[in-house]
Amino acid sequence: MAMERSKALFERAKKFMPGGVNSPVRSFRAVGGTPFFVGKGESCYLCDVDGKRYVDFVCSWGPLILGHAHPEVIAAVKQAVEKGTTYGTPTELEVLLAEKICQAFPSVEMLRLVSSGTEATMSAIRVARGYTGRRKIVKFEGCYHGHADHLLVKAGSGATTFGVPNSAGVPEGTAQDTIVLPYNDVETFNETMDSIGDEVAAVIVEPIAGNMGVVLPKIEFLKALREQTKKRGSILIFDEIITGFRVAFGGAQSLYDIKPDMTCLGKIVGGGFPLAVYGGRKEIMESVAPLGPVYQAGTLSGNPIAVTAGLKTIEILERDNPYPQLEQKTRKLTEAIAESSKEFGVNIQINQIASMFTVFFNDEPVTDYSSAKRSDVNLYAHFFHALLENGVYFPPSQFEAAFLSTAHDEQALAITQEAIRLAMKSISTC
Ligand SMILES: *Cc1c(COP(=O)(O)O)cnc(C)c1O
């Protein structure tokens, strides 16, 4: 029977973990069905415990730009782990990684390594509040910045998928200082900053949104964020946890040539291990303990295995510059998807930049949260399962980004294009 072992494991998992998973979207609730349990990952494939292989376009939700089990990363990790797994004291590796990141992101003059993206954004907000002495923060609808209380308001990702814009357990008082504005809406942003900009500690944004599906920024929008925050003395935080080392080596800020005051990184920067970064202008980062009054710490921060994997990944990206090729491969795939959809008369919108994209089942262009939400999630679920059936794993939610890695080769892409064609065909007859 198909999925036999996965189904049995899922039943056991549900007894001990909410929804049977350790992060909500993994449960397949948004698309229905049973998640497959993974036995191993290899290059651009995931192999499940029942022996089926899938071309993987989730890539662990972004980190795996080099694919699964990249031989150089694995070799470096094996060597590192022989020397012990955590020390709780400084290492040369941390210095090397910090230097590399500051070179790649010139706006980051000083940084801290932490263990998750949630920790990075939460800490960046605390630093911005400590540095400015202000309370309010501005975020944008559909942007996800981890699950800290004050950022879990109209957030994307799992929060969007499940239509729980405000999580239970977040006190009203905490959310009160968070102002949520529509993405890409220059006018509303300018009006808000003109009236209360002086109370705003930080404006936090995904400079390319990935957590309501991929939504590209209008350049005037990013420029308005930079100009207004500068004028009002607020800190501009770019959450580049997806886009850092993904859309370009130097992230979205290098593509659009806009320098934020602070930056958060995660996903790729950990090379498949739990590692994230917050950093920015030296003057701001000097308010972090032990230099300044803002406290932030972590037992496993700068973990030598995670740092080794991250450093090796970044070195490979710098050495090989795979970005033009990744873009080309991704463009070719999205063009094939568009062609199949036309062939079978299925209305879709594809938002793509570099090696990330989303196929929205939507008649109109998707430019913000409200247009993303008008997508047909039932059609997406149908599309998702048709692909899965044919050995292609897309994100199990309409509101997530798909990713390519350097490991996605001609053969895998040919399998994918054929599966896409079959999926579009079955949608046209359903
Ligand atoms: C994934 C993500 C986070 C949260 O990172 P975790 O490591 O899952 O805590 C924050 N911001 C963005 C933009 C993300 O994509």
Side-chain angles (χ1 to χ4, degrees):
M1 195 179 84
M3 298 275 289
E4 195 174 3
R5 293 189 63 195
S6 282
K7 280 180 180 161
L9 282 170
F10 195 43
E11 288 312 308
R12 281 166 64 193
K14 282 191 283 193
K15 282 193 197 137
F16 302 106
M17 290 170 276
V21 291
N22 285 307
S23 197
V25 188
R26 294 181 199 170
S27 72
F28 278 25
R29 285 274 176 117
V31 288
T34 303
F36 61 89
F37 280 62
V38 171
K40 71 169 179 177
E42 111 195 313
S43 72
C44 66
Y45 296 98
L46 279 175
C47 307
D48 75 12
V49 290
D50 292 289
K52 185 165 175 173
R53 196 172 80 152
Y54 308 86
V55 185
D56 179 16
F57 288 93
V58 180
C59 291
S60 192
W61 307 90
L64 299 179
I65 194 167
L66 301 177
H68 294 275
H70 188 281
E72 286 179 85
V73 177
I74 298 296
V77 165
K78 276 184 178 166
Q79 249 187 8
V81 84
E82 297 278 351
K83 298 180 194 161
T85 54
T86 176
Y87 313 128
T89 52
T91 59
E92 182 178 8
L93 287 167
E94 292 161 89
V95 183
L96 295 175
L97 182 59
E99 283 172 352
K100 255 297 168 253
I101 293 168
C102 291
Q103 276 164 17
F105 291 78
S107 72
V108 178
E109 297 168 344
M110 212 180 229
L111 58 79
R112 266 280 161 84
L113 304 182
V114 293
S115 299
S116 75
T118 292
E119 222 187 323
T121 51
M122 181 187 80
S123 307
I125 295 286
R126 184 181 302 147
V127 170
R129 283 175 163 164
Y131 177 79
T132 59
R134 302 174 181 179
R135 292 166 65 119
K136 289 195 191 325
I137 55 178
V138 171
K139 78 174 284 289
F140 298 93
E141 277 175 24
C143 287
Y144 178 65
H145 304 294
H147 62 83
D149 281 356
H150 49 284
L151 291 167
L152 208 52
V153 184
K154 292 209 175 178
S157 193
T160 294
T161 305
F162 302 122
V164 193
N166 301 288
S167 168
V170 176
E172 242 171 66
T174 310
Q176 249 166 23
D177 290 321
T178 304
I179 298 150
V180 187
L181 302 177
Y183 195 78
N184 268 337
D185 184 341
V186 177
E187 202 176 324
T188 306
F189 176 71
N190 279 338
E191 278 168 14
T192 305
M193 290 301 277
D194 286 343
S195 73
I196 54 137
D198 296 346
E199 299 164 53
V200 171
V203 173
I204 185 167
V205 69
E206 288 182 76
I208 295 164
N211 284 294
M212 47 181 148
V214 174
V215 172
L216 303 185
K218 292 181 186 150
I219 183 76
E220 316 88 76
F221 174 64
L222 294 182
K223 279 189 176 149
L225 300 188
R226 180 62 286 182
E227 277 161 27
Q228 280 282 4
T229 47
K230 194 166 215 168
K231 195 155 100 186
R232 310 290 170 189
S234 313
I235 305 298
L236 178 60
I237 304 173
F238 272 10
D239 179 349
E240 297 228 42
I241 288 174
I242 286 183
T243 53
F245 298 107
R246 165 64 64 182
V247 294
F249 191 69
Q253 53 194 272
S254 76
L255 279 187
Y256 297 111
D257 194 23
I258 293 177
K259 264 192 170 186
D261 302 299
M262 297 186 77
T263 297
C264 297
L265 300 169
K267 301 199 165 107
I268 289 174
V269 82
F273 282 80
L275 190 155
V277 175
Y278 72 96
R281 277 167 35 210
K282 187 159 180 274
E283 187 195 352
I284 300 170
M285 287 303 289
E286 280 176 345
S287 53
V288 177
L291 291 185
V294 178
Y295 192 72
Q296 180 272 315
T299 301
L300 291 178
S301 293
N303 173 268
I305 313 304
V307 170
T308 297
L311 191 56
K312 180 54 76 179
T313 300
I314 293 171
E315 282 169 2
I316 293 170
L317 292 172
E318 191 176 27
R319 180 191 72 199
D320 296 350
N321 184 25
Y323 296 100
Q325 234 193 338
L326 274 169
E327 161 110 49
Q328 209 179 21
K329 275 197 296 198
T330 310
R331 179 139 311 201
K332 205 173 143 196
L333 178 63
T334 53
E335 279 167 7
I337 298 172
E339 220 165 275
S340 289
S341 73
K342 278 204 196 91
E343 183 183 347
F344 294 105
V346 180
N347 283 343
I348 57 166
Q349 309 289 326
I350 304 178
N351 286 356
Q352 182 232 328
I353 185 162
S355 53
M356 57 192 276
F357 69 94
T358 298
V359 178
F360 290 100
F361 287 82
N362 198 316
D363 298 339
E364 304 289 332
V366 175
T367 57
D368 56 14
Y369 186 62
S370 56
S371 48
K373 287 295 280 178
R374 283 194 290 271
S375 303
D376 188 332
V377 294
N378 293 323
L379 278 190
Y380 185 85
H382 187 107
F383 176 69
F384 169 84
H385 280 292
L387 291 181
L388 200 65
E389 180 88 359
N390 290 297
V392 173
Y393 178 45
F394 261 42
S397 159
Q398 171 70 94
F399 307 109
E400 300 284 353
F403 299 102
L404 267 76
S405 75
T406 56
H408 285 77
D409 57 13
E410 289 288 334
Q411 195 191 356
L413 293 172
I415 294 171
T416 306
Q417 287 188 24
E418 182 52 23
I420 297 259
R421 215 180 150 266
L422 292 173
M424 290 297 178
K425 188 175 173 186
S426 86
I427 286 175
S428 72
T429 58
C430 77

